[in-house]
Amino acid sequence: MPAPTFDVLLPLARAGERLLSDPDECALLDLYAHPDPAPGRRSCVRAAMVSTLDGSATGPDGRSGTINNAADHRAFVVQRAVADVLLVGAGTARAEGYRELPLPEPLRAARVRRGQSPDVALALVSRSGRIPEDLLHSASAPLVVTSADSPGLAALRASVGDDRVVVAGDEDVDLARALDGLAERGLVRVLAEGGPHLLADLVAAGLVDELCLTSSPVLVGGPGPRVLDSGTWLPAAVGATPLHLLHSDGVLVGRWTLAAPGRALGSPA
């Protein structure tokens, strides 16, 4: 079945343009080209999340997979295809069933032409160092980001080797140091896929440059988390401005630039 067609709503200069199903995804690859790190930064972090109209980041089963759709999937695959590494909380990896990270062959070929590895890397953030065994020993074994006093650090190193363990922080995972550790491995284009707790921590630390947010046209009620779920307010509001907004059969797929915490976009630094 062909992928859903997108209608461009923003930017206004392209409003009305239709992005038809395309195995090479040339138009979407152009829209989602991953920015280079800002001056003074080693990484550029883009977050990708989906939300219902009533604000839940998951369905009743605790998974985002039950509220996404074919339009979200089309954009999401391209977002993955331009990244060097996916940054995911270990709890989210367990809940969402992360295993292989396949990309269509045309998108793998496009990665090689850009000088990237044909496969996107996976980095799991885990304070405990405990990772599902079947994921840890899969063909695409992840990097693991943990802290120096993680109870599972020794076993983790013995299992996957020092080169696949990123120690960032002492008692807790220091996400800025984690990004530096990934950058040292050449992984500078980061796609943070959640979950909501990890994204809240990244945003609070001022580490997220862009947010790709899909609004799914469903209502679920219930106590589901928002896309940022920390239980506390951010230290200061974070301004955002849209880069593009796409529509497909009620699904809105947006991409936003985030300002530094506490500063509206366009205000003096």
Side-chain angles (χ1 to χ4, degrees), residues 27-42:
L28 280 186
L29 286 172
D30 180 56
L31 277 176
Y32 282 107
H34 208 296
D36 292 327
R41 298 276 289 270
R42 300 180 69 180

Side-chain angles (χ1 to χ4, degrees), residues 6 19 25-33 74-75 78 82 244 246:
F6 283 123
L19 306 181
E25 290 291 19
C26 296
L28 280 186
L29 286 172
D30 180 56
L31 277 176
Y32 282 107
R74 181 182 176 191
V78 171
V82 298
H244 70 242
L246 311 178

Side-chain angles (χ1 to χ4, degrees), residues 68-158:
N68 65 17
N69 42 66
D72 176 58
H73 180 72
R74 181 182 176 191
F76 184 55
V77 169
V78 171
Q79 293 159 23
R80 279 186 167 185
V82 298
D84 295 326
V85 60
L86 312 182
L87 186 67
V88 184
T92 293
R94 284 190 288 269
E96 300 287 349
Y98 274 66
R99 293 300 177 265
E100 303 300 318
L101 303 172
L103 291 173
E105 191 54 42
L107 298 187
R108 287 168 53 85
R111 289 176 61 84
V112 173
R113 289 194 296 271
R114 291 192 300 271
Q116 294 176 285
S117 164
D119 298 305
V120 62
L122 175 63
L124 299 184
V125 180
S126 172
R127 166 67 180 79
S128 69
R130 291 189 288 270
I131 305 297
E133 284 295 319
D134 56 342
L135 179 57
L136 204 58
H137 299 295
S138 67
S140 53
L143 297 161
V144 182
V145 178
T146 191
S147 58
D149 71 346
S150 164
L153 181 57
L156 194 60
R157 282 175 162 159

Side-chain angles (χ1 to χ4, degrees), residues 167-183:
V167 177
D170 298 321
E171 296 181 1
D172 294 310
V173 174
D174 182 322
L175 292 171
R177 289 174 61 180
L179 293 174
D180 284 342
L182 296 176

